[in-house]
Amino acid sequence: MIDKTWLYDLGWPYQDDATTQSQDAFLIGRVIRQDRQYYTVETSAGSKRARLPGKTRNRASRKADLPAVGDWLRIAISATHDGIADILFQYPRKLSLCRQATGEVKEKQVLAANIDLVFVISGLDQNFNVNRIERFLMMAWSSGLPAVLLLNKADLFVDPYAQLKALEPVLSGTPVHTISALKGTATEAITSYLGAGKSAALVGSSGVGKSTLVNFLMGKEHMETKAVREFDDKGRHTTTHRELCRLPGNKGLLVDTPGMRQAQLWADLEALTDFYGDIFALAAACKYTDCQHAQEPLCNVNAAVKAGGLSQFRLTQYQKLAAYIA
Ligand SMILES: Nc1nc2c(ncn2[C@@H]2O[C@H](COP(=O)(O)OP(=O)(O)O)[C@@H](O)[C@H]2O)c(=O)[nH]1
Ligand SMILES: [Mg+2]
Ligand SMILES: [Zn+2]
């Protein structure tokens, strides 16, 4: 029998209870780390290395169908000769943070599976760029996830008034917190969004302090940061893998990701209809079939905003994504 508390603290998102399943042939666990085709899976029997059997791996036609950090799996109890367990089954995902994979082929990539929210992190220093921040926020929205913006390196700025002012037009309701990951200032703002079994992904460009923040919250040097790496000459990106980190004291789970040069969105009509179905339904009753829900008369969407049935923030998210895919 699996300890239920263990399961829920690790973020088990399903109604049905895994404890009722036969535990003879497999272990249930969550992917906490991925290094190419190898997965580290946290199970009730400790963390195990696992891999898809070759057959399954080759059959998966889409990258996004392969397991990703945050996925729940069943893996074989007995490892193969090289000590690596076979992945037997992947549970269907709840909400996941996705983007368009880098490379020639246009395809979806799952950055973090089964998460509850996204922390977009930016430095207040020379890295600060309003358009880039907006793009990262849109990455969360296009995945159906709420976003919280963290402006880091506040220790270097007495008053980030100019940056906050510049952000006003793109935030449109997104909560924003000014923090210092290095000094641990205002980091309780982050944990206030989490809690036992709640998972969030951290995204932002390289060097904004994602790993420094994870380390502060973990209370130890868990992820490598740039400062550490500066002493070697490998010239590699600092964080090279995605990892789901369990915050001590059961404060929640955080996925650290390698920095992204660009937030390439995976936004298409399918994602929009999936996550903004309420707006599509309202729009069906607008007077004009091509209504943009801006200044048009007899716009049912804006009528819903006025009546309080739809938030202006949600409409703005939808409109930004719709403009992006148009
Ligand atoms: N002054 C200051 N430096 C920070 C802060 N957070 C991170 N840094 C520094 O920024 C650099 C990049 O941090 P890192 O965590 O590796 O960034 P990542 O690429 O987003 O994971 C390192 O040298 C950190 O020490 C902060 O709050 N204040
Ligand atoms: Mg990092
Ligand atoms: Zn309308």
Side-chain angles (χ1 to χ4, degrees):
M1 286 285 263
I2 299 185
D3 174 8
K4 269 191 203 167
T5 315
W6 172 84
L7 204 57
Y8 289 102
D9 286 350
L10 199 56
W12 179 253
Y14 309 102
Q15 293 296 329
D16 64 302
D17 211 18
T19 50
T20 60
Q21 321 247 15
S22 151
Q23 295 304 300
D24 294 345
F26 59 81
L27 288 166
I28 291 176
R30 192 170 188 197
V31 178
I32 57 167
R33 179 176 172 144
Q34 182 185 357
D35 302 89
R36 280 182 248 106
Q37 71 266 48
Y38 297 102
Y39 298 90
T40 308
V41 183
E42 187 70 16
T43 75
S44 56
S47 93
K48 307 278 179 200
R49 295 254 289 160
R51 158 187 61 197
L52 282 171
K55 284 199 303 274
T56 323
R57 201 166 58 234
N58 299 334
R59 224 176 16 233
S61 51
R62 298 185 306 174
K63 229 188 216 157
D65 293 337
L66 295 170
V69 166
D71 267 319
W72 284 90
L73 304 174
R74 286 182 200 152
I75 63 169
I77 288 242
S78 51
T80 48
H81 60 281
D82 53 0
I84 298 174
D86 272 343
I87 294 171
L88 305 174
F89 177 77
Q90 181 179 338
Y91 288 84
R93 288 178 185 133
K94 302 283 174 176
L95 293 178
S96 303
L97 181 67
C98 303
R99 69 157 173 184
Q100 188 179 313
T102 51
E104 312 260 289
V105 196
K106 196 174 172 208
E107 65 175 333
K108 182 160 98 172
Q109 182 188 15
V110 176
L111 295 177
N114 300 311
I115 57 167
D116 301 292
L117 82 154
V118 177
F119 289 112
V120 173
I121 174 162
S122 161
L124 283 161
D125 51 3
Q126 61 275 13
N127 165 274
F128 182 85
N129 178 306
V130 173
N131 292 333
R132 196 185 301 143
I133 290 173
E134 180 173 42
R135 193 56 83 78
F136 277 114
L137 295 174
M138 286 170 70
M139 195 163 99
W141 302 339
S142 65
S143 302
L145 288 160
V148 172
L149 177 61
L150 306 175
L151 297 173
N152 190 32
K153 310 198 183 183
D155 53 294
L156 302 176
F157 292 82
V158 186
D159 182 10
Y161 178 81
Q163 289 95 326
L164 287 168
K165 198 79 197 149
L167 275 171
E168 262 171 27
V170 310
L171 288 179
S172 51
T174 302
V176 50
H177 299 278
T178 304
I179 64 160
S180 168
L182 198 63
K183 308 267 190 244
T185 315
T187 51
E188 59 288 342
I190 296 144
T191 38
S192 74
Y193 291 94
L194 298 169
K198 264 201 142 183
S199 311
L202 264 180
V203 295
S205 317
S206 206
V208 296
K210 296 180 295 296
S211 300
T212 306
L213 178 63
V214 169
N215 288 346
F216 180 83
L217 294 172
M218 293 291 283
K220 61 178 185 210
E221 292 297 305
H222 185 76
M223 300 298 291
E224 284 176 337
T225 62
K226 199 70 113 297
V228 176
R229 272 284 183 207
E230 265 160 17
F231 295 103
D232 78 23
D233 54 354
K234 290 194 189 110
R236 287 199 270 146
H237 279 292
T238 316
T239 308
T240 52
H241 61 276
R242 269 180 282 283
E243 185 168 336
L244 179 79
C245 307
R246 303 182 70 172
L247 302 183
N250 236 337
K251 292 213 183 80
L253 305 111
L254 263 186
V255 181
D256 188 10
T257 61
M260 279 169 260
R261 212 157 284 131
Q262 265 182 314
Q264 285 281 19
L265 304 191
W266 183 259
D268 54 11
L269 199 57
E270 191 187 329
L272 270 191
T273 43
D274 275 359
F275 302 129
Y276 296 89
D278 54 336
I279 298 180
F280 280 87
L282 289 166
C286 289
K287 180 170 168 39
Y288 300 104
T289 45
D290 62 345
C291 185
Q292 302 298 302
H293 325 307
Q295 309 296 331
E296 292 94 336
L298 300 174
C299 167
N300 191 46
V301 172
N302 273 310
V305 171
K306 277 214 189 72
L310 172 68
S311 77
Q312 180 60 53
F313 179 32
R314 191 169 163 73
L315 177 56
T316 306
Q317 286 178 15
Y318 164 82
Q319 284 172 323
K320 280 183 183 172
L321 293 170
Y324 178 83
I325 66 169

